[in-house]
C-alpha cells in the first residue's frame, strides 16, 4: 500500500478531481467520448496495442465508431489544457528550482503514404553506424524533471514539428511559451532561481541561449566531443591599433594541449558511476559564422559565453567504457557547487527517456494508425492527460504487483504500477462524462460499391527552400 496521511490524501484526491473536471471542460468537441477514451486508456489491463481494444473497456461506454469519430472530428482547447497542466503541483530541486527537459520523440509512420506532414525521423539502430531515417511525425516535448533517480516526469507541452520548421526556432518559441505559462501560474516569481532548461546533443545551445536571453532561463546541454570552442578575448593592450579582438585562442575538445588551467575542479563519489570528476572552464564560447541560422542576422555576430564542463566517471552501468561527457551552460562564473549541480541535473534528463518508453510501450502512443496529423495531435494530448492523472495518483494507488515482482518501496511506484490500480481510484473521483444516448448505426458504404475517391498520397521530408543560398548572396548582395 502506497499510503499518505489522511489530510494529504484528501488534498491529492481533490487535485486529481479538479484536474479531471478541467480536462472535461477543455474537450470542446466530442467531450464525453474523448474523456471516456482517456479513462479507458488509464484502466485497461496491460499495454495498449490498438485503439479498438480500448472501446472494449468497461469505462468506455460508447462504440468504437464514436471513439474514432472523437479523434477525427473532436476538438481540444490545447491552450486551456496547457494552463491546467502547468497549474498543478510540480517537482522542484532542493533549492526550489524548476528543471525542464526538452527532447524530440518520433511517431514513426513508414507505411502511411496518405498521411501528410511526415518527416524523416532519426532512429538509432542496433549496432555501430546503424542509424536510420524513417518517415514519421516528430514531437517536441517539454517536461519538468524530478530530483533523484526516478521514472517520473511532468509533461507540460508537446508540439509536432512541421516540414518547414527551424528546430531551434520552434524549440525556443515552445520553451518561451512554457516559461510564460509558469510565470502566469505563479510557479516562478521574481527572486526565484532561473529555470534550468536541459537539452541533449543535437541542439544549437548557443542559439537557444541567445533566443531565450530575455527570460529567467539558464540553458544546459551536451556537446559533441569533436567541437572547437574559443577562449575569452585577452585584455586589450593600451595603444593597440585596430579592431578589438572578440575571441581568444582555440579550445579543441579532443586536444588537451589547447586546454588552459581550469577554473573549477570537483570530485564526487557516486553509488552508480564511482568517482565523478568535473572540470570547468569559464567564459568559453563557440565562434559564430554568418551562415545557416545566422545568415539573416543584422550587425556583428554576438559572443555567447558560458561554462564548459568536462565530466569523467570511473565506470558506467554494465560493461560500458566511460567516455568524457562535455556540457555547456549559459551561466558564467559558476561556483564548484553550481558545477556539480549542473552535471547532476543533466543526468536527470535521461528520466525523460523512461517517459517516452512508457508512452509507447504501455500507453500505446504510437499504436494507432491515424491518417490525419491533427487527430494524432489530439491523441497525443489524450496520452499526456492520462499520464498527468497517473502522476497525481502516484501516492494514492495500491501496489498491485505480480507474484514474480518485488514490492515497491514507499512512494516509489512506477507509472505502470500506478496504472494497475487506477480503476479503483476512478470510482472515488470525479466522472464528468455523461451517459451515451441510444442511436442507430449509420448506413455505411452500400454493399458492392467501390471507393472512387482514393486518398491523396504525400511526399516525405522538408519541401521548403531558402530564397537565396550563401553563394547566391555573394553574387547578388542587393
Amino acid at each position: 500500500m502506497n499510503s499518505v496521511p489522511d489530510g494529504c490524501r484528501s488534498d491529492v484526491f481533490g487535485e486529481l478531481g479538479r484536474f479531471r473536471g478541467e480536462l472535461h471542460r477543455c474537450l470542446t468537441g466530442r467531450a464525453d467520448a474523448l474523456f471516456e477514451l482517456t479513462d479507458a486508456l488509464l484502466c485497461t489491463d496491460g499495454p495498449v496495442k490498438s485503439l479498438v481494444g480500448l472501446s472494449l473497456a468497461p469505462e468506455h461506454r460508447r462504440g468504437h465508431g464514436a471513439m474514432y469519430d472523437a479523434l477525427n472530428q473532436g476538438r481540444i482547447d490545447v491552450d486551456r489544457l496547457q494552463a491546467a497542466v502547468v497549474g498543478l503541483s510540480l517537482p522542484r530541486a532542493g533549492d526550489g528550482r524548476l528543471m525542464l527537459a526538452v527532447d524530440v520523440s518520433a511517431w514513426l509512420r513508414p507505411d502511411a503514404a496518405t498521411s501528410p506532414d511526415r518527416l524523416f525521423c532519426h532512429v538509432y539502430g542496433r549496432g555501430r553506424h546503424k542509424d536510420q531515417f524513417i518517415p514519421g511525425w516528430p514531437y517536441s516535448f517539454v517536461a519538468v524533471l524530478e530530483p533523484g533517480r526516478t521514472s517520473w516526469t511532468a509533461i507540460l507541452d508537446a508540439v509536432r514539428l512541421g516540414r518547414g520548421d527551424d528546430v531551434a526556432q520552434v524549440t525556443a518559441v515552445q520553451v518561451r511559451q512554457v516559461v510564460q505559462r509558469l510565470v502566469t501560474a505563479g510557479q516562478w516569481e521574481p527572486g526565484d532561481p532561473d529555470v534550468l532548461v536541459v537539452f541533449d546533443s543535437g541542439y544549437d545551445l548557443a542559439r537557444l541561449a541567445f533566443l531565450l536571453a530575455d527570460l529567467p532561463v539558464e540553458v544546459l546541454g551536451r556537446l559533441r566531443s569533436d567541437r572547437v570552442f574559443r577562449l575569452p578575448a585577452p585584455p586589450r593592450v593600451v595603444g593597440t591599433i585596430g579592431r578589438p579582438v572578440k575571441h581568444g585562442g582555440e579550445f579543441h575538445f579532443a586536444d588537451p594541449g589547447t586546454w588552459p588551467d581550469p577554473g573549477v575542479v570537483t570530485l564526487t563519489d557516486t553509488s552508480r558511476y564511482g568517482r565523478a570528476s568535473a572540470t570547468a572552464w569559464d567564459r568559453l564560447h563557440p565562434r559564430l559564422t554568418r551562415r545557416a541560422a545566422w545568415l539573416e542576422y543584422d550587425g556583428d555576430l554576438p559572443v555567447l559565453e558560458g561554462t564548459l564542463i568536462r565530466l569523467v566517471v570511473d565506470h558506467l552501468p554494465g560493461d560500458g567504457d566511460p567516455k568524457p561527457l562535455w556540457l555547456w551552460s549559459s551561466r558564467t562564473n559558476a561556483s564548484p557547487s553550481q558545477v556539480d549541480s549542473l552535471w547532476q541535473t543533466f543526468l536527470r534528463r535521461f528520466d525523460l527517456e523512461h517517459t517516452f518508453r512508457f508512452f509507447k510501450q504501455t500507453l500505446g502512443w504510437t499504436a494507432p494508425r491515424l491518417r490525419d496529423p491533427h487527430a494524432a495531435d489530439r491523441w497525443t494530448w489524450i496520452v499526456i492527460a492520462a499520464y498527468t492523472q497517473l502522476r497525481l495518483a502516484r501516492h494514492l494507488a495500491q501496489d498491485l504487483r505480480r507474484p514474480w515482482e518485488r514490492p515497491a518501496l514507499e512512494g516509489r511506484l512506477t507509472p505502470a504500477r500506478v496504472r494497475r490500480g487506477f480503476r479503483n481510484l476512478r470510482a472515488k473521483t470525479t466522472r464528468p462524462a455523461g451517459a451515451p444516448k441510444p442511436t442507430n448505426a449509420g448506413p455505411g458504404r452500400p454493399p458492392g460499391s467501390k471507393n472512387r475517391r482514393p486518398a491523396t498520397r504525400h511526399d516525405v521530408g522538408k519541401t521548403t527552400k531558402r530564397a537565396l543560398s550563401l553563394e547566391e548572396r555573394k553574387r547578388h548582395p542587393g
Side-chain angles (χ1 to χ4, degrees), residues 64-76:
H64 64 277
M67 177 187 61
Y68 283 109
D69 182 67
L71 284 178
N72 290 321
Q73 304 297 331
R75 295 186 303 275
I76 300 178

Side-chain angles (χ1 to χ4, degrees), residues 100-171:
L100 304 182
V102 183
D103 203 356
V104 174
S105 185
W107 183 341
L108 302 181
R109 297 302 311 278
D111 54 349
T114 59
S115 296
D117 298 338
R118 292 183 303 158
L119 304 179
F120 284 108
C121 305
H122 178 263
V123 177
Y124 290 99
R126 294 180 178 272
R128 187 175 179 86
H129 304 304
K130 297 295 183 181
D131 299 356
Q132 300 178 2
F133 288 89
I134 300 177
W137 291 316
Y139 281 83
S140 176
F141 289 86
V142 178
V144 182
L145 300 176
E146 295 191 2
R149 293 172 56 186
T150 178
S151 57
W152 290 94
T153 60
I155 300 293
L156 301 183
D157 194 23
V159 173
R160 177 168 49 84
L161 302 178
R163 287 173 174 262
D165 288 344
D166 181 350
V167 176
Q169 186 71 34
V170 172
T171 303

